[in-house]
Amino acid sequence: MTIQLAASARALTTPTPVDVNDTSIVPDTLTTAWIGVDLSAFGADSGLAMNLAQELPIERVNVRRLEAGVQAAHKGGLDFVSLGCSFHTRSDYRIRDCTLDATNMVAELAEHSTGGIFAEVPAKARHINQAIDLLAPQSEGWAGITIAVDENTSYKELAESLKAARQAGVRIAVLLSDAQISHELAENIAQVADVVRLRITDPHSARETRFMIRAAAQAHGRELPVLAELGIVISASLQAAEERSVLISEMMGVQLFEGMASTIGTVYDVADTIESWVGLGAADGVVLIPASLPTDLASILRGVIPLLQERTALDQK
């Protein structure tokens, strides 16, 4: 279920850079926005140091909890869920082949899912072919793969596999981590992707990339949504959210949301950021990356989504 958000018609249709402080850039129309959520944090603990991971008992993913999260996301109005390369079914991921952990789990979830689920796989023909075999048998919902690409990606080597994926009904999401892409890369993406994800911190750079990709897709008669990844930590106050983000970062031993846009604050802050990116024309929606689950997922479903819907209803009056 996509959602309608207030936006500036000028920002949505003018490919040239816009100034967010320009008084003529005001919400004067509604646009359809996609909202997805990444549930990789439901995976088995991947924050253990290598020496500890070898000494402690192997932790396995809580499948029931993950299934409940997927069902809640779909029932709560989100368009799709995804599992990234950081998702692992077991905590001993460093000493075994975990390449298809996300794909195997999505294949299991897709048997009972009523919505969309993406699994990230390496941009290699053999991995894509393995994913197709696992994901092609689907039930009421649909399954897809996410592949990270850049200027060095050989689409010639992937062409047959990507064609096979489309023929099997497996959706394709392309992940970009660099706003500076060539017209050739935009052209390749436009022909194979069903959705594009941008892991980019700056909305203005994301906006330029979005217009380039969408123009290439429209030349082929296709509408291609370009979504921004947005890392989130949600609490009742800004101070509480900041304290949570520090604690989570220390527990995981990594910097949160490196290389992607992020919002640490209340449900209002997250809603504001989503509206800003979509309203500016920087994205056709967002993929929310919660720092902790299920806490942030509950805040999305009970706070952010209803708030966006309420704001849209007010704008229509």
Side-chain angles (χ1 to χ4, degrees):
M1 180 184 72
T2 50
I3 193 170
Q4 295 287 308
L5 297 180
S8 163
R10 179 183 165 194
L12 291 177
T13 58
T14 306
T16 54
V18 298
D19 181 359
V20 292
N21 297 316
D22 187 338
T23 56
S24 67
I25 305 297
V26 295
D28 54 9
T29 189
L30 292 177
T31 186
T32 300
W34 292 70
I35 310 290
V37 64
D38 187 279
L39 300 181
S40 298
F42 269 135
D45 185 9
S46 59
L48 295 174
M50 181 59 180
N51 59 335
L52 291 178
Q54 292 176 326
E55 296 173 4
L56 294 177
I58 296 174
E59 177 186 331
R60 288 175 169 78
V61 64
N62 186 326
V63 178
R64 289 188 177 181
R65 186 174 68 162
L66 176 58
E67 287 179 339
V70 171
Q71 292 174 1
H74 287 150
K75 291 180 181 179
L78 297 182
D79 294 294
F80 62 87
V81 301
S82 68
L83 297 179
C85 59
S86 64
F87 175 86
H88 302 295
T89 56
R90 292 171 21 182
S91 59
D92 60 344
Y93 67 100
R94 293 181 185 270
I95 55 177
R96 64 178 178 85
D97 183 3
C98 57
T99 306
L100 294 180
D101 273 10
T103 308
N104 280 302
M105 183 53 62
V106 166
E108 183 176 336
L109 294 169
E111 293 181 4
H112 310 289
S113 173
T114 57
I117 316 179
F118 283 101
E120 185 173 357
V121 299
K124 303 290 184 182
R126 64 186 181 92
H127 294 308
I128 293 173
N129 292 336
Q130 289 174 314
I132 294 171
D133 291 339
L134 289 167
L135 301 180
Q138 300 172 38
S139 184
E140 298 179 53
W142 52 265
I145 58 172
T146 301
I147 57 172
V149 305
D150 56 29
E151 297 292 347
N152 297 317
T153 301
S154 175
Y155 276 89
K156 185 177 181 180
E157 295 178 4
L158 301 179
E160 289 302 317
S161 297
L162 294 175
K163 180 180 178 181
R166 298 184 67 85
Q167 291 175 339
V170 176
R171 310 287 179 91
I172 302 170
V174 168
L175 171 61
L176 287 172
S177 299
D178 189 350
Q180 302 301 317
I181 66 171
S182 65
H183 286 281
E184 180 181 1
L185 180 56
E187 177 74 12
N188 286 327
I189 292 172
Q191 295 182 63
V192 302
D194 294 294
V195 63
V196 176
R197 291 171 59 160
L198 300 180
R199 187 171 292 167
I200 298 172
T201 59
D202 175 41
H204 298 284
S205 298
R207 188 174 186 274
E208 293 178 12
T209 305
R210 172 182 173 268
F211 271 99
M212 181 186 293
I213 292 172
R214 285 181 61 84
Q218 287 167 1
H220 291 278
R222 305 184 66 219
E223 282 294 322
L224 180 56
V226 179
L227 315 182
E229 292 190 340
L230 179 65
I232 58 169
V233 177
I234 305 176
S235 290
S237 67
L238 175 59
Q239 180 178 349
E242 290 176 339
E243 291 174 351
R244 271 192 66 219
S245 69
V246 171
L247 178 61
I248 294 170
S249 179
E250 291 177 346
M251 291 176 62
M252 295 178 63
V254 296
Q255 179 181 338
L256 291 182
F257 313 132
E258 188 171 6
M260 74 176 71
S262 63
T263 297
I264 297 173
T266 67
V267 293
Y268 297 95
D269 296 316
V270 174
D272 289 345
T273 302
I274 295 172
E275 287 185 322
S276 175
W277 277 68
V278 173
L280 181 65
D284 299 297
V286 297
V287 182
L288 298 171
I289 316 289
S292 67
L293 293 169
T295 304
D296 287 327
L297 177 60
S299 296
I300 293 169
L301 299 177
R302 297 175 184 173
V304 176
I305 298 301
L307 180 58
L308 290 172
Q309 293 171 330
E310 181 182 342
R311 289 179 177 180
T312 301
L314 290 175
D315 288 328
Q316 290 177 311
K317 290 183 178 180

